[in-house]
Amino acid sequence: MRKWFWGFLFIAFGFVCSIAAERNPRTERISGSAGDVLEDDPVGRLKVYVYELPSKYNKKILQKDSRCLSHMFAAEIYMHRFLLSSPVRTLNPEEADWFYTPIYATCDLTPTGLPLPFKSPRMVRSAIQLISSSWPYWNRSEGADHFFVVPHDFGACFHYQEEKAIERGILPILQRATLVQTFGQRNHVCLNEGSITIPPYAPPQKMQARQIPLDTPRSIFVYFRGLFYDVNNDPEGGYYARGARAAVWENFKNNPLFDISTEHPTTYYEDMQRAIFCLCPLGWAPWSPRLVEAVVFGCIPVIIADDIVLPFADAIPWEEIGVFVAEEDVPKLDTILTSIPPEVILRKQRLLANPSMKRAMLFPQPALPGDAFHQILNGLARKLPHQKSIYLKPGEKILNWTAGPVGDLKPW
Amino acid sequence: MKLSALHQSYINRRTNSFRSSGPLDSSSDSAIKSPAAIFWLVFHALCCLISLLLGYRFSRLVFFFLFSTSSTNFYTSPFRSTAELVKTLDVHSVLSNNPVANLDLPLLNKTVTNSRVVVGRHGIRIRPWPHPDPVEVMKAHRIIEIVQKEQRSQFGIKNPRTVIVVTPTYVRTFQALHLTGVMHSLMLVPYDLVWIVVEAGGVSNETASLIAKSGLKIIHVGFNQRMPNSWEERHKLESKMRLRALRIIREKKLDGIVMFADDSNMHSMELFDEIQNVKWFGAVSVGILTHSVNTDEMADRKKDEEENPRMPVQGPACNASDMLAGWHTFNTLPFAGKSAVYIDDRATVLPRKLEWSGFVLNSRLLWKDSSDKPKWIKDIDMLNGDIESPLGLVNDPSVVEPLGNCGRQVLLWWLRVEARADSKFPPKWIIDPPLEITVPSKRTPWPDAPPELPANEKPAMGMLDPIVKHSTKRTSRSKHRSKRKHEPKTDTQVSTRHSEQS
């Protein structure tokens, strides 16, 4: 009698498994530890306390310029809004694992919409002075259990020119905190160990609105729209993108397989959905929203940026999804792309078609499970529990509050 | 300033050797007192000269190495990177303006260990032949094909049925033009295809050789009547020819979807995807392209259009709930009495009430003994006389399925253009044997035009006259010279050229 029971259970289990496997025959789950991590739920694994800063650090800045809500650095604003209403938020700082300081440091925009980072160090400094004097939590670890969202070009180096950013380095008072930033490059001053790399903000509604039918055949081999030479700042070429974008143009402008140009068409999103490969070369900084757009539209990203650290690199296996091309191999780009075996290309497309991948790259409002906000929280949760060594003995000081250029020390 | 310093140091040395006392002493004193200064001066000048020659901020590099306080790792990495960069610059060519690109090493004192990435100016790497490689292009096209096949199997029609295309044709001047268009469209169809070509006047080599180039599965039959010269008769004969093709489908029991592709029509690829959705009998919207020849007619047409806009579309009309409610047909009233009667008339050619090409049917409707055939289809063999449109095959026109988003999408266009009845064309549109008399183009874009070629040599076909002032200029370089021999204008041109030549 018992044998029949177990046999029946086994058959039923097998039946359920087969149904589950057939549900998505054409998208592939990223198997192994990396893939499952995308669907982790951070709720219950960590608690975040949001400091109440005066509105001059956040709301007033946003009121001055509402363009901050739609440019590619808008993640800092949306992260704040998400945390305010998220279940991981706690109002009791004693039980919090992580502390968040809502400063909109990237919201001082030029008339053309580019953020000026000159006042950001002073703003951050004054905010930290405020929280270290009003709450004891900063001083007990000198910020090691605090995290900041710094989505600017070179993260917390707070400059848009790479040489100056390297000179400045990460703001000294943020050295112990966890930085959530879009910039990621290995062995670079502006990327600390333990930082979380996030994708730049791309407006989800705009992208959803411009989807074309999935049976539209992909007929463009390689697609790229953007600058090759930055004529305003680097007319001869060689500085911008370390010469990689100019190399792409010079080598492939005559090649019909490469649909590349500087024009900005109205059908940009639609064209990406009709392309097999989308180039994501570096610009002045190695990251770009093109990666997000390529993943959302199912176009295989071709990443041309040496030593780049891609968003959520510990959760997303980028080597299996995208194609990495060294900057020195750009002249051979067509050979590289055509020598990829077709099965590999089809597999990459299946991995990209996975909806959890697309969701992980976006910042939707309101937040959805598995989106970029949750991936950030997952990243923070993976760093728990904090080591005992980060908590300083009373009176011990590690950070040098007066380090850095003199201009940064002025109050804000 | 540096040159003058160099000069000065030279002078100093020379004065040192030639002069003896006071000034020499002082200068030599000064020279000896600060040999270090002179040494640095000379060294700096040397470095400047070298950097002038190389285009390289060499002195900065040297100072950097001498005075930087970073670890040994740092020494090796810029060496490597400089070496790499120099190597790549040697191997690849750079911007045409600079023979050597400027290298600017970072001034950072912060150690960047083991990083291959260097901030600063880099060369732009261009390969020696920056043009597409045909082997790579073919590989890329194969990849695109594979990706599209995968897309179709995932998102496209599941279980596509064979498309059976029926085309009536006959040998005439524009047959090659029209039939090639249809042939190329059919070659692009991603589904299995059978092409039934019915030719009036019997099977001919012309047509056979033309369609053999397609590589499609073809059934080429002849029809024993010659195509008459009036449009009315031609439409009737074409209906008969199509019925003949339907009988072939019945005999051979071909399974698939039957569509009618007239040889002068234009089909979009979406049409073939859309007709896969038909169950038994479907109708699509056909765009009607009629041309009006006179400008007077155009003015009249404009006035008419303001009053009641004409819709040049034939096809099913749906009501609000997407059910077939009626038919759109082309409004022929404005053309009454002015339409073309004979095939080579210059007047407007009008379509019939409902064109055959707007209908598709499941081939099982034609089979003799099919058990699941619906009741409303008439048997082809039982027809008394000819039918004007496939609607004559059904008892009840309301069963027709409207396709293409209920007729809102126009998926093919109807056009009738024919040449004059007496126009002659070379068989198979090939000039064989090649012409004996060839005249070189007199004006070329290049200033140093080659001298007049002797009569029997062929001119280079690449020469094109960009400014075509007279229409006759074209004939001197066109391949279809023989055809235009009829026109008297050309003759004078050719003869004048001959006279110039000789």
Side-chain angles (χ1 to χ4, degrees):
Chain A
M1 211 43 211
R2 282 260 289 273
K3 266 193 273 188
W4 290 115
F5 175 67
W6 284 113
F8 172 68
L9 207 62
F10 184 70
I11 291 170
F13 180 66
F15 188 56
V16 167
C17 271
S18 63
I19 290 183
E22 273 174 33
R23 210 171 6 119
N24 271 342
R26 301 299 187 149
T27 67
E28 232 171 87
R29 268 180 61 93
I30 309 158
S31 54
S33 59
D36 299 334
V37 162
L38 275 184
E39 290 163 32
D40 278 350
D41 189 9
V43 177
R45 292 168 60 198
L46 81 164
K47 294 232 171 284
V48 177
Y49 177 73
V50 182
Y51 282 123
E52 286 278 333
L53 286 185
S55 59
K56 72 168 180 171
Y57 292 101
N58 31 52
K59 290 209 189 62
K60 285 232 181 78
I61 300 185
L62 185 56
Q63 272 165 5
K64 271 192 249 175
D65 197 340
S66 68
R67 284 177 299 175
C68 294
L69 280 174
S70 51
H71 68 176
M72 49 189 176
F73 309 102
E76 55 183 4
I77 304 174
Y78 292 118
M79 189 69 190
H80 183 204
R81 293 188 182 177
F82 165 70
L83 283 173
L84 285 177
S85 53
S86 154
V88 301
R89 181 189 184 190
T90 167
L91 297 168
N92 177 8
E94 289 299 327
E95 61 167 11
D97 301 306
W98 286 102
F99 294 85
Y100 173 63
T101 323
I103 319 172
Y104 300 167
T106 332
C107 202
D108 182 14
L109 302 184
T110 64
T112 53
L114 298 170
L116 292 172
F118 304 120
K119 297 210 198 105
S120 311
R122 290 163 52 200
M123 184 160 47
V124 171
R125 209 190 147 75
S126 109
I128 294 181
Q129 271 166 345
L130 184 64
I131 60 175
S132 63
S133 50
S134 318
W135 288 275
Y137 308 104
W138 177 272
N139 289 328
R140 74 171 178 190
S141 62
E142 293 248 289
D145 51 358
H146 289 58
F147 72 93
F148 293 83
V149 181
V150 279
H152 194 246
D153 280 341
F154 289 97
C157 292
F158 290 123
H159 208 281
Y160 49 81
Q161 268 191 15
E162 188 163 3
E163 286 169 337
K164 298 245 173 58
I166 294 176
E167 248 182 78
R168 296 177 58 103
I170 295 185
L171 204 62
I173 35 176
L174 290 180
Q175 283 285 359
R176 284 169 63 86
T178 297
L179 297 172
V180 178
Q181 57 189 52
T182 50
F183 171 74
Q185 189 172 309
R186 280 192 276 277
N187 300 321
H188 198 276
V189 184
C190 299
L191 180 70
N192 253 352
E193 282 286 333
S195 297
I196 298 178
T197 348
I198 60 170
Y201 176 74
Q205 298 89 348
K206 249 209 305 189
M207 293 203 279
Q208 306 290 20
R210 310 262 267 200
Q211 297 217 321
I212 60 177
L214 286 168
D215 60 345
T216 317
R218 285 187 190 263
S219 46
I220 304 176
F221 192 61
V222 176
Y223 187 74
F224 176 75
R225 288 289 184 272
L227 292 177
F228 299 101
Y229 293 93
D230 186 351
V231 282
N232 297 324
N233 302 319
D234 174 34
E236 280 174 19
Y239 281 107
Y240 181 54
R242 295 197 275 270
R245 285 196 186 196
V248 168
W249 174 250
E250 298 298 338
N251 281 303
F252 300 113
K253 59 187 175 191
N254 296 320
N255 198 323
L257 296 172
F258 283 68
D259 186 354
I260 56 180
S261 111
T262 49
E263 285 190 8
H264 202 286
T266 46
T267 54
Y268 176 60
Y269 288 149
E270 287 84 348
D271 289 340
M272 261 195 167
Q273 294 172 69
R274 291 195 307 121
I276 300 182
F277 291 105
C278 288
L279 294 184
C280 304
L282 70 160
W284 287 110
W287 57 271
S288 95
R290 277 183 192 88
L291 185 69
V292 178
E293 289 160 357
V295 169
V296 169
F297 293 129
C299 179
I300 301 175
V302 179
I303 296 148
I304 308 174
D306 286 344
D307 282 348
I308 188 174
V309 175
L310 290 174
F312 306 130
D314 49 352
I316 300 179
W318 287 104
E319 297 78 31
E320 295 184 36
I321 294 169
V323 179
F324 286 83
V325 177
E327 285 166 31
E328 59 186 4
D329 289 332
V330 164
K332 297 185 260 167
L333 190 60
D334 59 346
T335 317
I336 296 173
L337 292 180
T338 52
S339 60
I340 303 178
E343 316 78 61
V344 173
I345 295 183
L346 291 178
R347 177 160 188 266
K348 286 188 203 272
Q349 290 191 320
R350 277 198 298 272
L351 285 171
L352 282 170
N354 195 351
S356 62
M357 173 72 62
K358 297 190 209 270
R359 252 179 294 149
M361 289 278 116
L362 293 174
F363 292 94
Q365 290 89 45
L368 296 169
D371 65 6
F373 298 118
H374 290 87
Q375 304 303 332
I376 298 175
L377 292 179
N378 281 335
L380 290 169
R382 283 196 285 273
K383 296 182 82 174
L384 291 177
H386 292 298
Q387 292 176 333
K388 291 281 175 264
S389 54
I390 63 165
Y391 294 109
L392 307 173
K393 302 186 207 16
E396 188 183 345
K397 280 215 165 287
I398 297 184
L399 288 181
N400 182 358
W401 281 73
T402 52
V406 178
D408 284 358
L409 301 176
K410 282 195 269 197
W412 184 75
Chain B
M1 210 174 82
K2 46 190 190 273
L3 280 178
S4 64
L6 184 63
H7 193 58
Q8 204 175 11
S9 66
Y10 259 118
I11 294 174
N12 275 342
R13 269 193 251 132
R14 282 175 63 203
T15 52
N16 272 344
S17 53
F18 287 142
R19 297 225 202 123
S20 43
S21 48
L24 171 62
D25 279 334
S26 60
S27 61
S28 67
D29 270 350
S30 65
I32 296 169
K33 247 187 241 169
S34 54
I38 292 187
F39 170 70
W40 281 119
L41 211 59
V42 169
F43 188 64
H44 183 65
L46 204 64
C47 289
C48 288
L49 269 179
I50 294 176
S51 57
L52 257 179
L53 288 172
L54 291 180
Y56 201 102
R57 275 183 251 186
F58 189 63
S59 51
R60 235 167 149 192
L61 172 66
V62 172
F63 279 123
F64 176 64
F65 279 138
L66 288 176
F67 295 122
S68 120
T69 54
S70 30
S71 62
T72 50
N73 271 349
F74 197 36
Y75 282 125
T76 56
S77 63
F79 256 131
R80 197 164 23 98
S81 55
T82 358
E84 261 179 33
L85 286 168
V86 169
K87 204 168 27 125
T88 53
L89 287 172
D90 286 336
V91 172
H92 304 275
S93 67
V94 193
L95 283 181
S96 50
N97 297 333
N98 310 338
V100 177
N102 285 332
L103 289 172
D104 204 5
L105 286 177
L107 296 171
L108 27 115
N109 280 332
K110 306 200 198 287
T111 324
V112 180
T113 55
N114 302 328
S115 170
R116 297 180 299 135
V117 179
V118 177
V119 183
R121 192 163 191 180
H122 294 245
I124 300 175
R125 299 173 172 89
I126 307 177
R127 64 190 195 199
W129 180 246
H131 292 286
D133 177 5
V135 174
E136 307 294 340
V137 173
M138 281 324 293
K139 276 203 246 178
H141 279 290
R142 243 163 258 135
I143 293 178
I144 297 178
E145 238 179 82
I146 293 175
V147 167
Q148 289 187 357
K149 210 165 82 155
E150 177 72 17
Q151 270 187 286
R152 233 177 286 129
S153 69
Q154 270 188 46
F155 307 111
I157 314 281
K158 308 273 185 278
N159 311 320
R161 292 175 276 177
T162 313
V163 178
I164 304 167
V165 185
V166 172
T167 303
T169 183
Y170 70 105
V171 176
R172 64 217 193 261
T173 310
F174 282 1
Q175 183 203 28
L177 172 68
H178 297 316
L179 210 55
T180 317
V182 174
M183 188 168 80
H184 286 172
S185 305
L186 296 182
M187 281 158 78
L188 287 175
V189 173
Y191 311 113
D192 294 328
L193 202 106
V194 176
W195 194 14
I196 303 181
V197 180
V198 186
E199 192 173 347
V203 171
S204 71
N205 281 339
E206 284 270 345
T207 320
S209 62
L210 193 59
I211 58 183
K213 290 191 230 164
S214 65
L216 299 167
K217 221 165 119 204
I218 298 173
I219 301 175
H220 187 186
V221 287
F223 200 77
N224 285 333
Q225 259 182 287
R226 293 205 54 185
M227 190 62 82
N229 206 21
S230 73
W231 283 109
E232 204 41 57
E233 297 295 317
R234 175 171 161 173
H235 286 165
K236 286 208 187 110
L237 189 64
E238 281 182 349
S239 303
K240 283 200 200 132
M241 287 156 74
R242 292 189 187 104
L243 281 176
R244 174 75 205 282
L246 294 181
R247 286 195 185 97
I248 294 177
I249 296 175
R250 183 199 185 96
E251 278 163 42
K252 298 206 175 197
K253 275 211 158 186
L254 294 176
D255 189 15
I257 301 173
V258 183
M259 64 159 290
F260 301 97
D262 301 339
D263 57 4
S264 54
N265 286 357
M266 286 148 278
H267 312 87
S268 76
M269 288 300 117
E270 284 90 13
L271 171 70
F272 299 99
D273 296 327
E274 189 62 31
I275 59 178
Q276 295 283 342
N277 296 330
V278 79
K279 198 157 171 298
W280 289 115
F281 200 104
V284 292
S285 291
V286 183
I288 304 292
L289 301 173
T290 51
H291 65 285
S292 57
V293 188
N294 295 336
T295 45
D296 290 344
E297 262 185 52
M298 285 284 278
D300 287 345
R301 275 256 297 264
K302 284 216 176 80
K303 265 193 268 172
D304 277 343
E305 273 178 25
E306 279 158 18
E307 289 162 3
N308 43 343
R310 205 171 306 145
M311 201 159 54
V313 172
Q314 258 187 15
C318 288
N319 59 12
S321 51
D322 279 349
M323 306 285 285
L324 184 69
W327 300 92
H328 289 301
T329 58
F330 187 70
N331 185 5
T332 56
L333 288 179
F335 296 100
K338 288 187 280 187
S339 69
V341 174
Y342 293 103
I343 288 187
D344 49 358
D345 275 354
R346 288 181 77 213
T348 321
V349 183
L350 293 179
R352 316 277 271 163
K353 263 262 158 3
L354 285 171
E355 281 289 327
W356 279 78
S357 41
F359 292 93
V360 289
L361 39 137
N362 192 338
S363 66
R364 287 176 196 231
L365 290 175
L366 303 165
W367 290 0
K368 241 185 268 267
D369 44 2
S370 183
S371 50
D372 49 349
K373 228 163 64 157
K375 305 280 183 289
W376 39 260
I377 189 78
K378 290 189 205 159
D379 200 270
I380 305 186
D381 291 335
M382 312 295 190
L383 290 173
N384 336 322
D386 301 318
I387 50 176
E388 221 186 72
S389 82
L391 280 184
L393 286 173
V394 296
N395 286 326
D396 176 17
S398 63
V399 297
V400 177
E401 303 151 40
L403 296 173
N405 194 8
C406 208
R408 283 181 214 116
Q409 255 185 316
V410 173
L411 297 168
L412 71 152
W413 292 270
W414 175 98
L415 175 69
R416 290 286 181 264
V417 173
E418 296 296 345
R420 283 165 55 128
D422 60 346
S423 70
K424 296 187 186 15
F425 59 97
K428 298 186 191 172
W429 282 102
I430 291 175
I431 299 175
D432 184 40
L435 299 175
E436 296 253 326
I437 301 171
T438 52
V439 182
S441 171
K442 195 85 198 305
R443 285 200 343 221
T444 62
W446 302 280
D448 43 329
E452 304 263 339
L453 298 172
N456 279 342
E457 273 183 29
K458 285 201 193 293
M461 291 324 286
M463 292 194 289
L464 288 174
D465 202 342
I467 308 161
V468 181
K469 289 205 184 117
H470 317 285
S471 58
T472 53
K473 263 274 185 294
R474 275 196 181 178
T475 61
S476 61
R477 56 174 169 82
S478 81
K479 288 187 207 171
H480 303 290
R481 223 166 293 149
S482 67
K483 190 167 176 295
R484 307 282 183 96
K485 270 195 189 138
H486 302 292
E487 284 173 53
K489 276 192 217 166
T490 321
D491 277 332
T492 51
Q493 178 75 355
V494 170
S495 58
T496 46
R497 286 199 171 243
H498 272 283
S499 57
E500 281 164 5
Q501 220 179 11
S502 54

